[in-house]
Structure formats: structure tokens, C-alpha cells
């Protein structure tokens, strides 16, 4: 028999992860199982790590956001009962002077908020919304907010504040939206009638979003509209001015939001969200699934139903990625411990482990405040950066992870370890027919095309029948930059390969080739 070379090149179609299709029928560029792998620029490689950043949090961080007060860049983070600010690496309590907030423990709620005209407005869904002025030294109760009113979400839009899912004097109003009067720049209110819906001197008003049974969950801008998300439908608010100020319009009736923070904006006119059984992208007019026939079954089989409301999305803009962060079954304290990552430029999917994070925010994280010689977990020789290189652009946001379980803040995509722990990276493909699915083949060599440092362990296996179960040979260590092939002796109709690294060294694979020889047709 003649030996043949079966070549799989990522540079032709790009590597990705697919768990929905049968591995015996899907294209050769797809991996059937991955762990801590990133697919980028049509290659498959190890994920980057995360390092502790911005000093030591005073309390476990449940939420964080970046904010600029005058000329000072700050990070604000919220704990169970308090709010803190970070200046450089110095942490200070900026909770309101009247005392601690009602605890978030066992409520299923979390902080949220954003800035309006330079004023940071945040909310925990239990207490009066809070504001931090440019001239302030700590948070204060939002001025002129009705004392008996509470909301699950408050968001800035145009020059108004929009409050959703209300409770008024103990009466729950999960379908109601109230907006404020127009608020001048640098202020948190426009006088005593800011939230008075009955005043003709105020643009404030309150409406009910009926039509479907789902409760209001969140709202984020999309171009000139504010997209309003319910559990089972999507609406928009458009500024019209005049008597009604905003016009409400139904956009999508049969799809809603999986969890409050399970939606993210990736451009000025596109949102990505997790619904109850899909991951979709829309521009306000048209909507399409981005996960169908790829990893949809995997995602929804992994999420812990008891902690599903903690699922959230974050846009990793510098990598052209959306991270879907969720708690797997039995995740510690129910905090998200895995991210399914969609590269929307290359349309690839991958997986990354998370250190029990309740939230990830985008913002400027100066590595001088994180990646110091005393803080680093790598040696000079093992560091992935060159001397004087800074993985930092003051105009590009980084990802800051709330390490809630660890009481730490982590800078994502930095370093080659998970806060000092070596990263295990793995990608596996079963069901490759290596050219002819009917023939029994003898696999004798594998030629990986890998760049990087260190070693990668390669295991080769096979099956005589589909779904029989793979029998792997012992892993062979492949030294990057030295070795060109590994030898093996495996026989079967369907080939399986596993590439693993447990030492955290960085590598990228553009393809591989398999040498095989048909030995039988039965």
C-alpha cells in the first residue's frame, strides 16, 4: 500500500470549535473539544492568562466600571454593601455618608450604572440610585428621586435618565419605565420636578411596556435608539421631544433576554445577546443567530440553572470578540467560571476558564499598575513580552475582571498564567476519516505546524467504528522549533488527535498533516 499525506490547514478556512455537529461529518478544520484555546487569524493557539491588577480590593468586587473625575481616571467597584474607588492602586470607601447599602447577598441582584454628562449614576435594585458628581468625594442618593420609588435598572440616554422595572411604595411594576426631565451637563437633576411625571414643567413621564408577559430586564443604546429588553421581547425608545419626549416601538416580539447583563453592543449599530435558547445579533431591524449548528447545544447544557441569572456578556474589542460568561453546573458560589468566546470577525468559537467572576468591565488598565516585577508570576526568561514592551494603548480598552471568589481584580489577556497557576490548553478532534472513511488506515506520523515556545503533547488515537470510543496512544512531547514530526502507530477508520499543554507556554498552530496507509477495507 502507498502512504498518503492528509493535510489540514487552518489558513484555508480557519480553525474553530464545533460541538453541535457530528465530528464524523463536520469539516476537518473544526475541533470537537477545546479548553483555554483561542482561534484567531485562522490559527489555533493557547489563550493568554490574567494577572492581579490595581492593588487589593477592600471587599469582594461584584461589579466595576471606569470613570473620569476631572483629570483623574478612576475605577469604581461595588461590593455587597459598599462602593469603593481606585486611584492608581489606592482603594477608598466612597459609600454614601448615611451608611451601608442593603446587602446584595442572596438577592440575585448586582450593581449597574453609567455616566451622564460626567455624573456617574449607579444602582443596586434595592436602594435609592446613587450619583457621584465631578465635585463629589463620595456617592450620594440621587437628588429628587422619589423616596418610595425603586428600579431594577437605571441608564443614561441622551440627556435623560431612564429607569426600568419599578417598585413604587412596595408595589411591583415590572413592565413600567419612567424617565427623568432633561438634565444639564455636570448635574444629576434638573430641580425638584426632575422625576415628577405630573408636572407640565418637566419632561418626566412613565409608560407601561405591555404586549408580552416578560418583565423588563435592561436597556442599552443602539445608534439613536435605546433598545429595551424584556424577558420575551425587544422594544426601542426613540427621542421625539414635544409632549411625549420618547416614542416606544416593538422591534422583536418572540425573542427576549436570558439575563439582565446578557447583552452587549459591538458597534454603533449592532447588539449581541443571549436569549432563552439562542445567541443572536441584531441591528434593530434584522436579527440572526450566530451560534446555530456550532456550539448552541454546548452552551445551554453547561449553564447552571440555579445561577443562570449571573450570565453576562462583555465585548473584547481589541480581539474582535464577545465573551459569553456563565456559571457551569456547581460553579463555586454560582459565579461564572467559563467563557464561550465568539470572534465575530472570523466567526470562530473557543473556550476560556474564568476565576469565578461576577462581572467584567471594559476600560483603560495601565499595566504599570499591574504588570510590575514584584507582581509578576513569571520569570524574566519565561515572560512573553520583550524588554520595554507594554501591552497597553491608552486609547484601547482592556478587560478588568471582578475576581469575586478571590477578592481580586484581574487584567485579562495578560501574562502566561492564571494568576500564577499554569494554564492547561487543550484541543481535540475525533472522527477524522483521513481521506477515506471506508478504509482501515495505519497512522504512522503527524507533522504539526506550530510556532511558539516550549512543548506540546500530542496524542493520536483511532476508532474502527463511529462512536465506538477512541483508544489513544501515549502522548508524545513535541518541542516547538526543534521537532518537525512525531511518530505513532495507530490503526482505525476514524482518526483522533489531541494537542495539550500544561505548562502555560504560548503557541499557535496553523495546521498539521497526517501520514497514513490504507491496510484494509474491513
Amino acid at each position: 500500500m502507498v502512504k498518503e499525506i492528509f493535510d489540514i490547514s487552518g489558513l484555508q478556512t480557519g480553525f474553530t470549535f464545533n460541538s453541535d455537529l457530528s465530528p464524523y461529518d463536520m469539516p476537518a478544520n473544526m475541533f470537537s473539544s477545546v479548553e483555554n484555546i483561542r482561534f484567531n487569524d485562522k490559527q489555533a493557539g493557547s489563550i493568554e492568562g490574567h494577572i492581579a491588577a490595581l492593588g487589593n480590593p477592600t471587599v469582594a468586587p461584584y461589579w466595576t466600571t471606569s470613570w473620569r473625575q476631572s483629570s483623574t481616571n478612576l475605577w469604581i467597584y461595588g461590593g455587597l454593601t459598599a462602593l469603593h474607588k481606585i486611584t492608581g492602586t489606592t482603594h477608598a470607601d466612597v459609600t454614601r455618608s448615611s451608611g451601608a447599602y442593603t446587602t446584595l447577598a442572596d438577592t440575585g441582584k448586582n450593581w449597574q450604572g453609567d455616566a451622564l454628562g460626567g455624573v456617574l449614576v449607579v444602582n443596586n435594585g434595592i436602594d435609592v440610585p446613587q450619583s457621584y458628581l465631578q465635585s463629589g468625594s463620595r456617592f450620594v442618593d440621587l437628588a429628587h428621586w422619589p423616596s418610595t420609588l425603586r428600579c431594577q435598572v437605571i441608564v443614561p440616554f441622551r440627556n435623560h435618565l431612564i429607569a426600568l422595572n419599578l417598585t413604587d411604595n412596595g408595589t411591583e411594576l415590572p413592565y413600567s419605565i419612567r424617565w427623568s426631565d432633561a438634565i444639564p451637563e455636570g448635574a444629576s437633576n434638573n430641580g425638584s420636578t426632575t422625576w415628577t411625571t405630573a408636572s407640565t414643567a418637566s419632561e418626566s413621564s412613565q409608560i407601561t411596556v405591555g404586549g408580552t408577559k416578560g418583565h423588563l430586564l435592561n436597556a442599552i443604546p443602539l445608534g439613536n435608539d435605546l433598545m429595551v429588553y424584556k424577558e420575551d421581547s425587544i422594544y426601542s425608545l426613540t427621542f421625539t421631544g414635544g409632549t411625549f419626549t420618547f416614542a416606544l416601538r416593538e422591534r422583536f416580539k418572540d425573542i427576549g433576554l436570558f439575563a439582565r447583563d446578557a447583552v452587549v453592543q459591538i458597534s454603533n449599530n449592532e447588539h449581541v445577546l443571549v436569549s432563552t435558547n439562542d445567541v443572536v445579533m441584531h441591528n434593530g431591524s434584522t436579527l440572526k443567530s450566530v451560534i446555530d449548528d456550532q456550539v448552541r447545544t454546548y452552551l445551554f447544557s453547561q449553564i447552571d440553572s440555579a445561577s443562570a441569572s449571573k450570565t453576562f456578556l462583555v465585548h473584547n474589542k481589541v480581539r474582535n470578540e464577545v465573551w459569553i460568561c456563565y456559571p457551569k453546573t456547581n460553579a463555586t458560589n454560582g459565579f461564572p467560571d467559563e467563557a464561550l468566546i465568539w470572534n465575530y470577525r472570523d466567526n470562530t468559537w473557543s473556550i476560556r476558564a474564568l476565576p469565578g467572576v461576577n462581572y467584567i468591565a471594559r476600560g483603560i488598565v495601565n499595566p504599570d499598575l499591574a504588570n510590575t516585577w514584584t507582581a509578576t508570576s513569571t520569570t524574566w526568561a519565561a515572560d512573553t513580552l520583550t524588554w520595554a514592551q507594554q501591552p497597553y494603548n491608552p486609547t484601547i480598552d482592556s478587560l478588568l475582571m471582578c475576581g469575586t471568589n478571590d477578592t481580586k481584580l484581574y487584567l485579562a489577556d495578560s501574562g502566561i498564567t492564571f494568576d500564577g497557576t499554569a494554564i492547561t490548553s487543550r484541543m481535540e478532534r475525533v472522527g477524522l476519516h483521513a481521506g477515506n472513511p471506508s478504509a482501515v488506515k495505519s497512522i504512522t506520523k503527524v507533522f504539526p505546524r506550530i510556532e511558539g515556545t516550549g512543548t506540546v503533547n500530542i496524542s493520536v488515537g483511532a476508532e474502527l467504528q463511529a462512536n465506538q470510543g477512541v483508544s489513544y496512544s501515549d502522548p508524545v512531547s513535541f518541542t516547538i522549533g526543534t521537532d518537525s514530526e512525531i511518530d505513532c502507530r495507530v490503526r482505525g477508520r476514524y482518526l483522533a488527535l489531541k494537542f495539550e499543554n500544561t505548562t502555560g507556554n504560548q503557541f499557535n498552530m496553523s495546521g498539521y498533516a497526517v501520514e497514513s496507509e490504507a491496510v484494509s477495507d474491513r
Side-chain angles (χ1 to χ4, degrees):
M1 295 290 182
V2 178
K3 291 185 178 181
E4 296 180 326
I5 297 295
F6 181 63
D7 188 78
I8 297 96
S9 174
L11 298 182
Q12 293 176 0
T13 54
F15 287 120
T16 188
F17 166 49
N18 190 310
S19 62
D20 283 4
L21 300 179
S22 167
Y24 304 96
D25 300 308
M26 67 188 186
N29 66 304
M30 295 180 177
F31 287 93
S32 48
S33 177
V34 298
E35 178 184 4
N36 295 322
I37 290 293
R38 170 174 272 137
F39 298 106
N40 191 31
D41 293 331
K42 297 186 177 182
Q43 298 185 66
S46 51
I47 203 82
E48 290 180 289
H50 56 258
I51 59 174
L54 305 181
N56 298 315
T58 307
V59 297
Y62 278 67
W63 168 86
T64 188
T65 190
S66 60
W67 180 55
R68 186 178 180 88
Q69 187 181 37
S70 186
S71 60
T72 304
N73 292 316
L74 301 175
W75 280 91
I76 304 292
Y77 65 95
L80 288 174
T81 62
L83 289 162
H84 288 76
K85 74 173 181 179
I86 309 171
T87 310
T89 58
T90 301
H91 294 238
D93 191 325
V94 288
T95 301
R96 61 186 178 185
S97 298
S98 59
Y101 304 107
T102 306
T103 183
L104 297 175
D106 301 320
T107 65
K109 301 181 186 299
N110 194 22
W111 294 97
Q112 58 83 214
D114 207 342
L116 175 69
V119 176
L120 182 61
V121 178
V122 304
N123 175 56
N124 64 6
I126 308 172
D127 296 296
V128 171
Q130 301 291 291
S131 63
Y132 202 150
L133 301 177
Q134 286 290 309
S135 59
S137 58
R138 60 177 56 242
F139 281 94
V140 297
D141 289 351
L142 187 61
H144 301 298
W145 177 265
S147 61
T148 62
L149 186 65
R150 300 292 185 270
C151 66
Q152 296 305 304
V153 171
I154 189 166
V155 295
F157 182 60
R158 303 197 49 116
N159 57 342
H160 295 259
L161 289 171
I162 315 291
L164 299 88
N165 196 328
L166 311 176
T167 299
D168 196 355
N169 200 25
T171 300
E172 293 184 359
L173 303 170
Y175 310 106
S176 291
I177 298 176
R178 181 182 289 198
W179 57 77
S180 71
D181 192 11
I183 296 174
E185 181 178 341
S188 64
N189 67 93
N190 195 27
S192 60
T193 61
T194 299
W195 292 96
T196 306
T197 59
S199 173
T200 57
S202 174
E203 290 184 335
S204 179
S205 187
Q206 184 168 320
I207 61 172
T208 298
V209 186
T212 62
K213 296 184 293 184
H215 292 185
L216 291 162
L217 290 182
N218 207 344
I220 59 175
L222 180 68
N224 292 322
D225 294 332
L226 182 72
M227 302 306 299
V228 176
Y229 290 92
K230 299 179 70 178
E231 295 171 319
D232 57 1
S233 54
I234 303 173
Y235 290 74
S236 66
L237 276 180
T238 304
F239 180 79
T240 59
T243 304
F244 300 103
T245 311
F246 291 98
L248 181 72
R249 176 186 173 191
E250 183 181 80
R251 294 300 184 114
F252 305 104
K253 187 171 185 178
D254 297 321
I255 191 165
L257 195 57
F258 183 77
R260 189 194 74 180
D261 295 323
V263 58
V264 71
Q265 180 173 322
I266 62 171
S267 68
N268 188 49
N269 59 358
E270 289 178 311
H271 285 182
V272 177
L273 67 129
V274 180
S275 70
T276 53
N277 62 357
D278 207 349
V279 179
V280 301
M281 180 171 66
H282 77 86
N283 60 8
S285 300
T286 60
L287 178 149
K288 67 176 181 178
S289 174
V290 299
I291 200 172
D292 194 31
D293 288 334
Q294 297 184 82
V295 289
R296 177 159 58 175
T297 300
Y298 177 87
L299 173 63
F300 290 100
S301 68
Q302 295 298 307
I303 299 175
D304 187 342
S305 59
S307 304
S309 63
K310 296 183 184 294
T311 301
F312 66 87
L313 271 58
V314 63
H315 181 202
N316 190 0
K317 185 177 181 180
V318 70
R319 297 281 190 176
N320 304 298
E321 294 172 343
V322 172
W323 291 19
I324 304 171
C325 307
Y326 50 88
K328 298 178 70 176
T329 301
N330 298 322
T332 303
N333 297 319
F335 296 128
D337 56 356
E338 185 170 272
L340 188 62
I341 301 174
W342 178 46
N343 184 310
Y344 51 84
R345 183 190 63 185
D346 297 338
N347 192 28
T348 61
W349 291 90
S350 53
I351 292 176
R352 185 198 200 280
L354 296 174
V357 301
N358 201 48
Y359 194 78
I360 300 177
R362 281 177 52 196
I364 305 301
V365 182
N366 189 335
D368 289 342
L369 306 178
N371 195 28
T372 62
W373 293 120
T374 56
T376 186
S377 58
T378 61
T379 63
W380 178 292
D383 200 292
T384 58
L385 304 178
T386 58
W387 170 248
Q389 176 188 352
Q390 290 283 9
Y392 168 59
N393 185 328
T395 65
I396 298 177
D397 290 346
S398 302
L399 298 186
L400 187 66
M401 306 192 296
C402 291
T404 316
N405 276 333
D406 301 333
T407 313
K408 289 185 176 181
L409 293 164
Y410 295 115
L411 175 61
D413 280 345
S414 185
I416 61 173
T417 69
F418 286 164
D419 192 34
T421 300
I423 302 171
T424 295
S425 300
R426 177 185 57 83
M427 47 190 172
E428 179 183 21
R429 172 60 195 267
V430 302
L432 281 171
H433 55 68
N436 184 354
S438 65
V440 176
K441 295 166 283 290
S442 175
I443 311 299
T444 53
K445 293 181 183 292
V446 178
F447 303 88
R449 297 189 289 277
I450 301 178
E451 62 179 359
T453 60
T455 62
V456 174
N457 292 327
I458 302 174
S459 303
V460 184
E463 299 171 285
L464 282 174
Q465 304 295 335
N467 299 303
Q468 182 183 54
V470 177
S471 296
Y472 277 106
S473 62
D474 292 335
V476 177
S477 179
F478 178 88
T479 301
I480 300 171
T482 299
D483 296 334
S484 61
E485 63 188 62
I486 66 162
D487 294 317
C488 58
R489 192 166 297 278
V490 174
R491 179 175 292 194
R493 283 191 175 87
Y494 296 99
L495 170 67
L497 289 106
K498 189 186 300 181
F499 302 87
E500 294 181 289
N501 174 265
T502 59
T503 58
N505 57 276
Q506 298 289 295
F507 67 89
N508 280 298
M509 184 174 73
S510 61
Y512 60 92
V514 175
E515 182 184 81
S516 68
E517 179 182 8
V519 295
S520 172
D521 60 359
R522 64 177 66 187

